[in-house]
């Protein structure tokens, strides 16, 4: 369970870096949870495709396309909030064990 929480914290941190324009970071924390492995692989795959399309630093693109920048920040913030909620649920479930 601790590794799962570490992974969720890693996802939250990486999502925060996206909001700052850095898409070079990847989720690295190992886990044995099949659902979290899939989430990690999907998230990193999405970032691989994005990085291949626009490069490692999207802040320059975001400045040029400010309406899109705001939308990306909102989505990144939403993802970060979702991961934080997952961490809270995981914490409460581990306390009930």
């Amino acid at each position: 369970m601790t590794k799962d929480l570490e992974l969720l914290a890693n996802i939250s941190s990486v999502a925060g870096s996206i909001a700052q324009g850095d898409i070079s970071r990847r989720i690295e924390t190992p886990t044995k949870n099949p659902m979290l492995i899939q989430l990690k692989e999907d998230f990193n795959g999405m970032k691989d495709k994005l990085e291949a399309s626009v490069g490692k630093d999207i802040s320059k693109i975001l400045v040029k396309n400010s309406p899109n920048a705001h939308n990306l920040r909102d989505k990144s913030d939403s993802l970060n909030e979702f991961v934080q909620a997952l961490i809270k649920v995981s914490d409460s479930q581990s306390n009930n064990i």
Side-chain angles (χ1 to χ4, degrees), residues 32-79:
K32 293 183 180 181
N33 182 319
M35 291 176 61
L36 292 178
I37 290 170
Q38 186 65 52
L39 176 62
K40 176 182 170 179
E41 290 173 355
D42 290 347
F43 193 86
N44 285 340
M46 174 187 66
K47 289 188 72 178
D48 290 340
K49 289 178 183 176
L50 183 60
E51 189 175 340
S53 298
V54 300
K56 292 184 182 199
D57 184 2
I58 61 171
S59 61
K60 293 174 188 166
I61 294 169
L62 295 179
V63 170
K64 291 179 184 175
N65 301 300
S66 59
N68 292 335
H70 182 67
N71 190 25
L72 180 61
R73 285 189 193 104
D74 286 346
K75 288 179 180 178
S76 179
D77 289 344
S78 294
L79 177 60

